[in-house]
Amino acid sequence: MEWLPHITVATVVEDNDRFLMVEEHKAGRNVLNQPAGHLDPDETLIDAAIRETLEETGWDVEPTGVIGIYLYTAPSNGVTYQRVCFSAKAVQHHPDYQLDDGILGAKWLTRDELIAQRDNWRSELIIRCIDDYLAGHHFSLELIRPSL
């Protein structure tokens, strides 16, 4: 069996104790996730995080740091994901931006509001990334090295 981990990015965007979340339709139900997605060919991790956040929320963001690098195997399909999670600040909203297919919209939620909706999380990585962010896990963007 060939093992092919998926490289993904996610962005934690916080404003006044609220976090930018994505409501999406996945596997027959509506779920919450950070703005997140797969790294595209010939794309940097930072560019992927900026692109995915815009495509899923309509927000331009400026990455400010790296929160962590997470390895997660989805129990639903056995696929392993390596997630690089960034912190970012919201820069500009484009309310008329055409969001990706399956995206129902963006929501700003507090941690408590997220906890109350635990059954709707796409994965446990949501709260882990937010809690690491709140605990002060902020590493320099210089941690991400460009390809040679």
Side-chain angles (χ1 to χ4, degrees), residues 118-129:
R118 177 176 239 128
D119 290 342
N120 297 329
W121 293 353
R122 182 152 177 195
S123 81
E124 292 290 324
L125 286 177
I126 291 171
I127 205 66
R128 189 164 173 207
C129 290

Side-chain angles (χ1 to χ4, degrees), residues 2-3 7 16 20 24 109 126:
E2 189 175 356
W3 181 66
I7 299 173
N16 293 316
L20 181 60
E24 59 187 329
L109 300 171
I126 291 171

Side-chain angles (χ1 to χ4, degrees), residues 17-19 32 108-118 121:
D17 298 323
R18 294 190 178 279
F19 296 93
L32 292 169
W108 290 91
L109 300 171
T110 66
R111 184 184 184 283
D112 289 342
E113 289 169 334
L114 279 168
I115 292 294
Q117 298 184 53
R118 177 176 239 128
W121 293 353

Side-chain angles (χ1 to χ4, degrees), residues 24-137:
E24 59 187 329
H25 193 75
K26 198 72 174 172
R29 64 189 195 105
N30 295 348
V31 295
L32 292 169
N33 197 10
Q34 272 105 14
H38 288 82
L39 178 69
D40 283 347
D42 300 318
E43 184 176 47
T44 69
L45 290 165
I46 293 170
D47 288 343
I50 293 168
R51 175 186 53 77
E52 286 289 352
T53 304
L54 177 62
E55 290 177 353
E56 294 189 351
T57 69
W59 277 91
D60 287 326
V61 295
E62 179 183 326
T64 56
V66 177
I67 297 170
I69 300 170
Y70 305 84
L71 198 61
Y72 174 75
T73 301
S76 62
N77 61 14
V79 173
T80 298
Y81 299 90
Q82 181 180 30
R83 174 190 267 204
V84 180
C85 188
F86 294 89
S87 58
K89 67 178 181 178
V91 175
Q92 182 178 357
H93 187 230
H94 305 278
D96 296 326
Y97 191 87
Q98 181 64 47
L99 303 179
D100 279 352
D101 286 343
I103 303 295
L104 303 174
K107 293 183 170 192
W108 290 91
L109 300 171
T110 66
R111 184 184 184 283
D112 289 342
E113 289 169 334
L114 279 168
I115 292 294
Q117 298 184 53
R118 177 176 239 128
D119 290 342
N120 297 329
W121 293 353
R122 182 152 177 195
S123 81
E124 292 290 324
L125 286 177
I126 291 171
I127 205 66
R128 189 164 173 207
C129 290
I130 287 174
D131 285 347
D132 285 351
Y133 169 84
L134 291 171
H137 297 288

